[in-house]
Amino acid sequence: MNPFQELKKVPPMKGVAWRGEVSLWNIDTAVSRLYDRAVESRLMFRQPAVGLRHDGVEAPGMFRSDYEILFPLPETAGETPHGVEVRELPEEEVASFIHRGPYEWIPCTYEKVLDWLRENRYEVAGVPREVFFVAPEPHSGGTQDDMITEIQVPVQKAA
């Protein structure tokens, strides 16, 4: 199955952020910690969470990746409390891909993303984003098989 969805423009975004090294198995822990910090700081934020893969589009490392997590802030957000990092992302033209299933399988989807970029003569023009649309709901009986993550790769036509 080809995960390509569409070429589109994503708007700029401002969000409360955390950046560090994570493995494929502890991204959910990092998201939970940022969520707790935002709630403790009484920040109003929007869903879904967004991840930035600073290591690029190559298949993610299983055990260590330079990763950043953001919770988008509403446009009307006031000042943020001391000690809370806020990051602004620019508007970008992206190729959108859908990953369905456990996050641990996302390297397989990235392999297909790389194939699509080569076949369609695009090159990466920025840091890939991962938008976490559906996470498993432990109380509703959901599983990681139900997860949906949109991979947004900033692109430009290759020379």
Side-chain angles (χ1 to χ4, degrees), residues 60-138:
M62 299 293 274
F63 301 106
R64 200 172 86 199
S65 288
D66 180 6
Y67 203 78
E68 187 171 7
I69 300 164
L70 285 93
F71 283 114
L73 294 169
E75 292 179 20
T76 59
E79 278 198 39
T80 54
H82 179 70
V84 175
E85 184 177 344
V86 173
R87 172 113 145 77
E88 293 189 40
L89 301 178
E91 176 180 84
E92 293 184 293
E93 183 77 26
V94 302
S96 169
F97 303 85
I98 298 298
H99 169 75
R100 296 183 199 303
Y103 195 76
E104 289 81 17
W105 296 353
I106 207 163
C108 298
T109 303
Y110 270 98
E111 289 295 332
K112 293 178 181 177
V113 168
L114 288 168
D115 290 342
W116 186 93
L117 291 171
R118 276 189 296 273
E119 290 168 8
N120 292 279
R121 298 191 172 140
Y122 280 96
E123 56 189 25
V124 178
V127 177
R129 301 178 188 190
E130 297 172 352
V131 182
F132 303 106
F133 282 112
V134 177
E137 293 288 336

Side-chain angles (χ1 to χ4, degrees), residues 1-157:
M1 182 177 111
N2 184 342
F4 176 71
Q5 186 177 17
E6 64 181 329
L7 288 171
K8 66 181 181 179
K9 194 170 288 245
V10 292
M13 177 179 51
K14 183 177 178 181
V16 57
W18 173 88
R19 182 174 177 177
E21 286 191 358
V22 296
S23 76
L24 288 178
W25 295 278
N26 69 1
I27 286 179
D28 57 344
T29 302
V31 169
S32 294
R33 287 184 182 151
L34 179 59
Y35 178 89
D36 291 345
R37 188 176 319 152
V39 169
E40 288 169 7
S41 299
R42 299 177 189 243
L43 284 173
M44 296 296 290
F45 54 88
R46 300 177 295 140
Q47 297 284 351
V50 175
L52 299 175
R53 188 162 294 288
H54 290 282
D55 293 334
V57 177
E58 298 302 318
M62 299 293 274
F63 301 106
R64 200 172 86 199
S65 288
D66 180 6
Y67 203 78
E68 187 171 7
I69 300 164
L70 285 93
F71 283 114
L73 294 169
E75 292 179 20
T76 59
E79 278 198 39
T80 54
H82 179 70
V84 175
E85 184 177 344
V86 173
R87 172 113 145 77
E88 293 189 40
L89 301 178
E91 176 180 84
E92 293 184 293
E93 183 77 26
V94 302
S96 169
F97 303 85
I98 298 298
H99 169 75
R100 296 183 199 303
Y103 195 76
E104 289 81 17
W105 296 353
I106 207 163
C108 298
T109 303
Y110 270 98
E111 289 295 332
K112 293 178 181 177
V113 168
L114 288 168
D115 290 342
W116 186 93
L117 291 171
R118 276 189 296 273
E119 290 168 8
N120 292 279
R121 298 191 172 140
Y122 280 96
E123 56 189 25
V124 178
V127 177
R129 301 178 188 190
E130 297 172 352
V131 182
F132 303 106
F133 282 112
V134 177
E137 293 288 336
H139 303 295
S140 69
T143 69
Q144 287 195 0
D145 291 340
D146 301 323
M147 294 177 69
I148 297 175
T149 305
E150 179 186 12
I151 300 169
Q152 299 174 344
V153 180
V155 293
Q156 62 187 18
K157 272 296 201 182

